[in-house]
Amino acid sequence: MCVTCGCADDNNITITNMENQHHHTHTLADGTVITHTHNHHEPAANVHAKIHQTTISLEQEILGKNNLLAAQNRGWFKGRNILALNLMSSPGAGKTTLLTRTINDLKDKLNINVIEGDQETTNDAEKIKSTGCKVVQINTGTGCHLDAGMIEKGLQELNPPLDSVVMIENVGNLVCPALFDLGEQSKVVILSVTEGEDKPIKYPHIFRASDIMMLTKVDLLPYLEFDVQRCIEYAKQVNPKIQIFQVSATTGVGLDEWYGFLSRRVAVV
Amino acid sequence: MHELGITQNIIAIVSENAQNKKVQRVLLEIGQLSAIMPDAIQFCFDICAKDTIVEGAKLEIVVIPGIAKCRQCGNTFDVDKPFGICECGSIEMDLITGQELNIKEIEVEELCV
């Protein structure tokens, strides 16, 4: 087992490199195609096992292995001057639409590459690929989130260039992804106005873990009973430091502010 | 849903550290604010332990309550969710306890020679 999340070797995670003309799917269960450099037998750090008669005292963090891999990913990004963002939301909040619009609008300014996470299908990766950018699809099978081990393998396939941006689109889920550090510089939570303004206090973990919140589909506000101010208050209550952008990927409202932010972040990676 | 995977990881870590001896007891610490449900871990434990040296082991879970410290006035107070409001009115706080997810100790079978 090389990951922490149940998406172990036998869980049939597949990685599809959309850059290739044929979609070759790597089935890691039998370890055939993907080169995996992580040593499964390396001694876990921070284990201090002492035997007292029959009791072994451990002070081992259960997420420690994921955190170790995430730290390696973070170093990998830093060494290549890559800005990596982890985009998380419930299914259907508009992550892929926001991402394709962002890539298209910033094509001439930023080199954006994508790791796309879904339980099944390469539908989203196809949409992203139509923008012309490099994309790798990770299908988690039964897994409900991406973890650092999957990102490590995905990066080997994606091979993003120096000084670029890697957008990691997590599996649609407002709970589990919050727990797993991928080695990204920032977590970005995406909430659409069709979901209700109380989501930040209903699912506080993900809003607390994120530096940025994108409130999407604001063009639909005239048709909904969604209290934007209350939503922002809830988000700030859970995470006073969260930075909020109100956008519509359909009309383009608010996107300039988001693009300005991205460009500044790339400059300081 | 993530509890199943986390339980698989617990079994893996325990197995690695059990020195090939049969495991009789596992003690976990789970923070009240960790987004991990102890009941779900308990539910998954026997299933994940099957056919490993952890099979049949007793699982004990200590739930660590959440305590926050106010960044404005320094007051510490109990929280049952990962945010809250201090008596001074501030919502800026650091979580002191409640986010733990640790394997505290394991007990293995010692064979007398």
Side-chain angles (χ1 to χ4, degrees):
Chain A
M1 178 176 216
C2 67
V3 288
T4 55
C5 63
C7 307
D9 295 353
D10 55 355
N11 272 24
N12 210 22
I13 312 299
T14 60
I15 298 182
T16 307
N17 187 343
M18 304 303 284
E19 185 75 355
N20 297 346
Q21 294 203 328
H22 63 287
H23 296 178
H24 61 266
T25 299
H26 300 267
T27 302
L28 295 170
D30 52 17
T32 43
V33 187
I34 295 271
T35 315
H36 186 204
T37 53
H38 171 58
N39 179 358
H40 288 224
H41 303 292
E42 69 187 316
N46 306 321
V47 181
H48 307 287
K50 273 192 289 180
I51 303 178
H52 297 294
Q53 295 170 336
T54 57
T55 304
I56 301 172
S57 304
L58 297 174
E59 269 295 353
Q60 180 148 1
E61 282 190 58
I62 294 160
L63 295 175
K65 233 170 200 174
N66 182 75
N67 293 344
L68 185 64
L69 287 173
Q72 289 171 3
N73 289 345
R74 194 168 284 112
W76 196 94
F77 287 129
K78 194 175 165 63
R80 285 162 182 77
N81 199 38
I82 291 171
L83 171 69
L85 299 180
N86 176 5
L87 311 183
M88 310 176 297
S89 79
S90 53
K95 289 190 295 298
T96 310
T97 308
L98 177 66
L99 204 45
T100 46
R101 171 105 195 211
T102 301
I103 293 164
N104 277 325
D105 288 351
L106 297 182
K107 226 174 233 174
D108 301 332
K109 291 181 190 160
L110 296 180
N111 186 338
I112 300 178
N113 308 279
V114 177
I115 291 179
E116 184 65 50
D118 286 292
Q119 287 199 322
E120 299 293 346
T121 84
T122 54
N123 290 357
D124 284 357
E126 298 284 356
K127 287 180 199 159
I128 300 287
K129 189 171 181 268
S130 68
T131 66
C133 88
K134 280 167 85 171
V135 53
V136 166
Q137 173 84 49
I138 298 181
N139 289 126
T140 57
T142 56
C144 48
H145 57 270
L146 295 174
D147 66 34
M150 296 178 203
I151 298 304
E152 182 197 18
K153 291 168 201 151
L155 287 172
Q156 288 170 18
E157 279 293 309
L158 187 67
N159 193 21
L162 301 175
D163 309 313
S164 60
V165 179
V166 171
M167 295 286 197
I168 302 164
E169 186 176 338
N170 218 313
V171 178
N173 179 342
L174 221 44
V175 182
C176 311
L179 260 70
F180 293 86
D181 184 4
L182 306 180
E184 74 285 272
Q185 279 97 338
S186 285
K187 288 185 171 65
V188 180
V189 62
I190 292 152
L191 175 66
S192 63
V193 295
T194 54
E195 294 173 73
E197 65 262 330
D198 56 353
K199 286 296 172 294
I201 53 168
K202 276 188 172 170
Y203 298 89
H205 292 276
I206 207 157
F207 288 87
R208 192 166 172 90
S210 299
D211 298 324
I212 300 148
M213 168 176 142
M214 307 289 295
L215 188 61
T216 58
K217 308 186 189 180
V218 294
D219 55 302
L220 298 178
L221 282 171
Y223 314 103
L224 302 166
E225 286 181 17
F226 183 95
D227 189 332
V228 173
Q229 272 321 307
R230 183 164 289 177
C231 180
I232 290 171
E233 280 166 24
Y234 284 147
K236 296 267 184 192
Q237 188 183 339
V238 171
N239 181 353
K241 284 185 180 163
I242 201 162
Q243 190 170 356
I244 299 169
F245 296 93
Q246 298 179 42
V247 300
S248 163
T250 307
T251 64
V253 167
L255 288 177
D256 283 345
E257 208 183 328
W258 162 238
Y259 296 159
F261 168 83
L262 270 182
S263 304
R264 286 193 299 279
R265 280 296 296 269
V266 168
V268 297
V269 167
Chain B
M1 189 167 168
H2 50 274
E3 281 88 354
L4 174 62
I6 286 169
T7 310
Q8 286 174 327
N9 203 45
I10 291 168
I11 301 296
I13 296 170
V14 170
S15 301
E16 268 174 34
N17 288 280
Q19 303 166 353
N20 291 320
K21 291 170 183 160
K22 188 139 178 51
V23 179
Q24 292 175 321
R25 189 177 69 97
V26 176
L27 178 64
L28 302 182
E29 267 183 357
I30 298 181
Q32 198 185 5
L33 313 176
S34 67
I36 311 289
M37 290 172 64
D39 286 353
I41 300 277
Q42 195 73 255
F43 183 80
C44 297
F45 187 78
D46 289 342
I47 302 161
C48 294
K50 197 168 170 7
D51 298 329
T52 73
I53 54 172
V54 193
E55 183 168 353
K58 191 179 166 200
L59 176 65
E60 289 174 12
I61 299 175
V62 175
V63 176
I64 312 282
I67 298 175
K69 183 173 185 179
C70 176
R71 284 194 200 148
Q72 297 299 324
C73 70
N75 185 29
T76 57
F77 55 101
D78 296 342
V79 282
D80 60 1
K81 44 188 185 301
F83 61 96
I85 184 158
C86 178
E87 280 176 359
C88 76
S90 169
I91 54 169
E92 301 239 6
M93 58 184 209
D94 295 311
L95 298 176
I96 311 287
T97 63
Q99 295 183 296
E100 298 78 3
L101 183 53
N102 298 319
I103 301 172
K104 200 68 181 156
E105 60 182 42
I106 61 178
E107 209 170 283
V108 295
E109 204 170 68
E110 200 70 60
L111 292 175
C112 299
V113 190

